[in-house]
Amino acid sequence: LDVSMDMWNHFHTCVASIWLHRFYIYSAVALGIILWIVIQFTTRTKRKVGEVLLQKGTEAKLGNGCATPQAKEVYVAGVKIFYGSQTGTAKGFAKTLAEAVAALNLPVQVINMGDYDPDDCLSEETTSRSICVFLVATYTEGQPPESSAWFCKWLEEAANDFRFGKTHLKGLRYAVFGLGNSLYVDHYNTVGRRIDRWLWVLGASRVMTRAEGDCNVARSRHGSIEADFGAWQTKFLTRLQALCRGEKKPCSGRCKKGKCKSPGKQSKESSDHEHGASEHENTEAEELFETSSEEEADAEEAGGTNSVIDVEDLGNIMGHMKKAKRECELQAGGAGMMRESTGRKEEGEKREMITPALRDALTKQGYKLIGSHSGVKLCRWTKSMLRGRGGCYKHTFYGIESHRCMEATPSLACANKCVFCWRHHTNPVGTEWQWKMDQPEMILQEAIENHQNMIKQFKG
């Protein structure tokens, strides 16, 4: 009991002491709260000042055309410059552009098209947020340089292959600068225009309109191809800085057939050459060619981007072909009557099945002609099997591997005219053979050689 009383007395004494000194306790608590508020206010003020300084620094660097790693969103991760050059001009331009881009503190990479595999790597550019620049020259007869031949061939086949689709390269941003010589009107900057259109067909987006440099100083817009490139480079760097700031592209989206139609945004760098080139393209489009199963409709010559022909349109197509055939026969008949009337036609002489004009047309379609009436061509299923994308019905039903099949014929003419046949359907037909005949040994030997040469052109 005494212990309990002592504890109670001690507790009572402590409570009484606290009550007597309660004002000191209140003051200490209030002082602690004030100190906590002051510390929190000071910390928040310093944090806000740091954020303001960081934001100002970011805006200043964005004004110079590059984003810092602290930026919330990176609009341009870098620039990849692809070049295809025969004499080194495009390569020199690529290095010059790389130095200018590097001055903006942006990662830059210069790539030779010959060292790049588009089948494996190009689709990765759709998510890399990089800007792809293509500097490519046009070589002899409108062909690409040797180093970029495979790149252009793959791009063309992908653009004309319905299995790739129109969104295969969606997300890829690109710009094209072509190098050419306007002295060769028929092939002026052909490669640059085709690459621009093929990329657009596959769903890629232009960051600016295609530009063209002219080696012909008499018609060059700026006096030389170097000056043309310099003017384009200035515009490209300005556009690149705008993209780094997150600005949207100026294109209105109303582009057709691979050419930018945005009002007020169309570049005038190649206006002096577009008129002549468009006339040439229209002339080519008027020529009627029936393609094989590999290329059901060449988009460039037909003026469209869809490589599939509707069944409803087959009647019109066959009607046009019959009309063209009748005109050719009338012309051939008129020429024959003229030769007969002048006495220059030899009796018993047989003419060749393939005329020079038809030979040029078939060669352009990809045929390897043999002699005067035979030909061989790579089937699109042969290419598909070589790339591991499946074979034709022969492989599905009979186990015949498509890459071991040769699409060849000893007679390019046929009277059946099946709509799904790989022949062109414009050769003359008849109930009996009436043309010059080649030796069968020569036909077989050249067919195998041409087929093997076309197979060897595939990479790998």
Side-chain angles (χ1 to χ4, degrees):
L1 183 61
D2 293 337
V3 175
S4 300
M5 291 299 295
D6 291 340
M7 291 181 62
W8 171 253
N9 292 333
H10 179 71
F11 177 74
H12 183 268
T13 302
C14 292
V15 171
S17 176
I18 292 174
W19 176 254
L20 292 175
H21 299 87
R22 61 185 182 276
F23 295 105
Y24 298 103
I25 296 174
Y26 294 159
S27 300
V29 172
L31 180 61
I33 294 175
I34 292 173
L35 289 176
W36 181 81
I37 293 174
V38 171
I39 293 173
Q40 292 295 324
F41 178 77
T42 305
T43 304
R44 290 186 179 182
T45 303
K46 290 182 179 180
R47 187 180 301 170
K48 289 183 178 180
V49 171
E51 291 178 355
V52 171
L53 293 176
L54 179 61
Q55 184 177 2
K56 289 183 178 180
T58 303
E59 291 177 354
K61 292 185 178 181
L62 283 174
N64 294 329
C66 64
T68 61
Q70 291 82 6
K72 293 183 179 180
E73 184 175 0
V74 178
Y75 296 101
V76 177
V79 178
K80 293 186 178 181
I81 305 174
F82 298 84
Y83 70 88
S85 179
Q86 191 71 29
T87 61
T89 305
K91 182 178 180 180
F93 287 167
K95 293 181 178 179
T96 302
L97 181 60
E99 294 175 356
V101 173
L104 300 178
N105 295 327
L106 276 175
V108 61
Q109 185 178 1
V110 179
I111 303 173
N112 185 354
M113 289 184 178
D115 301 331
Y116 188 83
D117 189 356
D119 199 7
D120 297 333
C121 304
L122 194 59
S123 59
E124 298 177 359
E125 307 301 338
T126 58
T127 57
S128 64
R129 294 196 176 186
S130 297
I131 304 297
C132 296
V133 181
F134 297 90
L135 308 178
V136 59
T138 299
Y139 195 44
T140 306
E141 298 297 328
Q143 298 299 317
E146 296 178 0
S147 60
S148 59
W150 165 248
F151 186 97
C152 295
K153 185 175 182 179
W154 180 90
L155 202 60
E156 178 184 10
E157 292 179 354
N160 294 327
D161 193 340
F162 68 93
R163 291 169 295 181
F164 279 87
K166 296 182 179 180
T167 59
H168 182 69
L169 296 180
K170 185 177 182 180
L172 185 147
R173 296 177 293 177
Y174 73 96
V176 177
F177 180 83
L179 292 79
N181 193 325
S182 59
L183 290 175
Y184 307 98
V185 180
D186 295 341
H187 306 293
Y188 175 67
N189 266 311
T190 302
V191 178
R193 295 175 183 177
R194 289 176 177 174
I195 289 180
D196 180 41
R197 190 182 66 82
W198 292 333
L199 290 171
W200 179 83
V201 168
L202 291 173
S205 302
R206 300 183 187 89
V207 297
M208 60 186 299
T209 308
R210 182 192 71 249
E212 298 174 351
D214 193 354
C215 292
N216 183 11
V217 295
R219 298 194 61 184
S220 174
R221 182 174 179 82
H222 300 90
S224 65
I225 191 171
E226 290 79 9
D228 292 339
F229 174 76
W232 173 83
Q233 177 179 275
T234 302
K235 294 182 179 180
F236 173 75
L237 295 177
T238 303
R239 180 68 185 133
L240 183 61
Q241 292 177 356
L243 291 172
C244 289
R245 294 191 294 268
E247 296 182 8
K248 296 182 179 180
K249 63 178 183 178
C251 181
S252 63
R254 293 179 292 177
C255 301
K256 295 182 179 180
K257 299 181 182 179
K259 295 182 180 180
C260 186
K261 301 294 184 182
S262 302
K265 299 294 182 180
Q266 181 71 15
S267 174
K268 297 181 180 180
E269 295 184 11
S270 58
S271 59
D272 295 337
H273 312 293
E274 289 287 350
H275 179 67
S278 62
E279 290 181 353
H280 173 67
E281 292 175 358
N282 292 336
T283 303
E284 287 186 349
E286 292 175 358
E287 298 178 3
L288 182 61
F289 298 130
E290 177 69 13
T291 58
S292 69
S293 59
E294 174 203 353
E295 300 168 334
E296 295 181 354
D298 190 343
E300 184 176 14
E301 294 176 355
T305 59
N306 190 359
S307 60
V308 180
I309 300 176
D310 293 334
V311 177
E312 292 82 358
D313 298 332
L314 289 176
N316 295 331
I317 294 175
M318 296 302 296
H320 287 300
M321 288 191 298
K322 290 180 179 179
K323 182 178 179 181
K325 177 190 171 183
R326 286 196 298 268
E327 292 178 354
C328 292
E329 290 178 349
L330 290 175
Q331 293 177 359
M337 292 177 62
M338 184 178 297
R339 288 194 301 268
E340 186 176 1
S341 61
T342 55
R344 288 179 293 178
K345 181 177 179 181
E346 299 180 3
E347 295 183 1
E349 181 183 359
K350 293 185 178 181
R351 58 187 178 89
E352 294 184 354
M353 178 189 296
I354 306 176
T355 62
L358 189 58
R359 182 179 295 273
D360 293 339
L362 295 178
T363 303
K364 189 174 183 179
Q365 293 180 20
Y367 288 84
K368 298 297 182 182
L369 301 180
I370 304 168
S372 61
H373 55 76
S374 307
V376 62
K377 188 177 184 182
L378 277 185
C379 175
R380 68 184 180 95
W381 291 111
T382 300
K383 300 178 182 179
S384 179
M385 178 65 77
L386 289 173
R387 292 168 178 166
R389 298 175 182 169
C392 65
Y393 72 96
K394 298 177 184 177
H395 177 261
T396 303
F397 295 110
Y398 309 116
I400 301 175
E401 296 175 337
S402 299
H403 67 278
R404 303 182 68 180
C405 178
M406 181 173 67
E407 192 173 61
T409 177
S411 173
L412 287 168
C414 180
N416 293 327
K417 292 184 178 291
C418 301
V419 295
F420 49 82
C421 182
W422 65 282
R423 291 179 176 85
H424 48 83
H425 298 319
T426 54
N427 263 7
V429 295
T431 57
E432 60 182 9
W433 188 268
Q434 52 184 336
W435 302 283
K436 179 181 177 181
M437 186 176 297
D438 299 325
Q439 294 298 322
E441 294 82 2
M442 182 270 293
I443 296 175
L444 177 60
Q445 181 179 358
E446 292 193 12
I448 296 176
E449 290 179 357
N450 288 326
H451 180 75
Q452 291 177 345
N453 291 334
M454 288 188 289
I455 292 294
K456 291 177 182 178
Q457 293 178 4
F458 279 84
K459 187 174 182 180

